[in-house]
Amino acid sequence: MKPSILILHASGTNRDEEAAWACEIAGGAPEIIHITQLRCGERQATEFDMLLIPGGFSYGDALGAGSRLALDVQLYLDEALNHFIEQKKPVLGICNGFQVLVKAGLLPGWKVSAQQPRRVTLTANERAQFECRWVHLAVDPSCQAELLHTMTEPIFCPVAHGEGNLQVVDEDTLTKLKTEGLIAFRYARAEGQLANGQYPFNPNGSVYDIAGLCNAEGNVIGLMPHPEDHILPIQNPLGKSGQLGIQLFQAILGSMI
């Protein structure tokens, strides 16, 4: 049987169909479910083998990008998400979905409370403008998400966000992300070198060129760019082959077989 994938939809989500298509091509059985269907009990998140929170502008980015949907996730999906994580089921957040996972405290996965506030956030791009451009992503070799290490080459795909600038509260927090292997993806150049903070290779000013994070168990992954927008070679604006985003979906679904 194909792994079943819950693709969460909310008002303002606009990349759910692309994500579903990528999952289907990679061998999954995706289903787009509106969050109200989960809230009213019509469907149960625990029915599924994987959760994917796609991109867009959920709730018009009220309270900040991803913040409003993050509240819904905390209020209505907390038990289901804890079940996903405990059962080592994959959870993937792309762009707005990544913002949701960070602001709900699920990435990098450290306990969040009034006494222990979030130490990582996604904020306004360094140049204070919406960024819509293609970027290169490299898997961080020390990341805990072992499934990402099956990817054979960097990913070339677009970003489309106004609040993708990943920042940390202090240098100790960045050190902890590094030493615990919680950095999943970093922005890079076409030649393979890291962006080293240089624009436009790092499109938003993220510290340490961080483009994505994972949790300590390696089954919760989030990233700002859109790998679901480069699934076929024909989608490459440079007319080149390779570095497809489908690699990510194949890596995740391959780990479930």
Side-chain angles (χ1 to χ4, degrees):
M1 292 181 61
K2 295 181 178 181
S4 58
I5 304 162
L6 164 58
I7 298 184
L8 187 66
H9 181 91
S11 299
T13 300
N14 65 14
R15 284 295 209 282
D16 43 358
E17 292 189 3
E18 288 90 338
W21 187 47
C23 290
E24 188 173 355
I25 291 175
E31 189 172 353
I32 298 171
I33 303 291
H34 198 285
I35 192 167
T36 55
Q37 294 175 272
L38 301 174
R39 287 177 58 179
C40 71
E42 179 183 326
R43 302 296 300 272
Q44 299 294 325
T46 50
E47 300 172 26
F48 295 87
D49 300 314
M50 173 181 169
L51 170 65
L52 192 156
I53 307 178
F57 304 92
S58 57
Y59 300 115
D61 282 344
L63 309 179
S67 295
R68 176 65 178 79
L69 184 53
L71 290 174
D72 272 1
V73 165
Q74 290 172 303
L75 286 171
Y76 303 111
L77 298 181
D78 183 63
E79 184 176 343
L81 280 169
N82 285 333
H83 175 78
F84 263 76
I85 295 169
E86 290 168 4
Q87 298 296 315
K88 301 295 191 293
K89 292 183 177 182
V91 177
L92 175 64
I94 301 173
C95 194
N96 198 230
F98 181 32
Q99 293 163 337
V100 169
L101 292 176
V102 168
K103 293 178 181 181
L106 294 168
L107 283 177
W110 299 325
K111 184 177 179 181
V112 175
S113 66
Q115 293 73 37
Q116 295 176 296
R118 279 191 294 113
R119 302 180 64 81
V120 176
T121 195
L122 289 152
T123 187
N125 294 342
E126 187 174 54
R127 295 198 169 210
Q129 64 185 17
F130 189 86
E131 292 291 341
C132 184
R133 62 178 67 252
W134 284 63
V135 298
H136 289 86
L137 298 178
V139 174
D140 190 283
S142 64
C143 79
Q144 291 290 344
E146 294 184 4
L147 61 91
L148 297 181
H149 298 296
T150 65
M151 294 169 54
T152 58
E153 60 183 351
I155 289 176
F156 183 50
C157 67
V159 295
H161 58 250
E163 297 180 43
N165 184 1
L166 191 140
Q167 293 297 322
V168 296
V169 69
D170 53 29
E171 193 64 33
D172 288 343
T173 299
L174 179 57
T175 298
K176 190 175 181 182
L177 289 176
K178 296 177 185 178
T179 57
E180 294 185 6
L182 305 181
I183 299 171
F185 293 98
R186 296 178 69 190
Y187 294 109
R189 297 169 179 260
E191 302 80 14
Q193 310 100 313
L194 292 171
N196 289 322
Q198 294 188 15
Y199 182 86
F201 312 105
N202 177 333
N204 47 44
S206 291
V207 65
Y208 197 59
D209 297 324
I210 298 174
L213 298 173
C214 65
N215 66 343
E217 292 75 21
N219 65 313
V220 181
I221 300 168
L223 70 164
M224 282 308 302
H226 287 278
E228 77 280 17
D229 285 351
H230 188 198
I231 299 303
L232 303 176
I234 196 172
Q235 295 172 310
N236 190 317
L238 302 179
K240 297 181 179 180
S241 61
Q243 299 187 334
L244 296 172
I246 193 66
Q247 296 177 82
L248 174 58
F249 300 92
Q250 292 171 331
I252 294 175
L253 289 165
S255 71
M256 301 169 67
I257 300 173

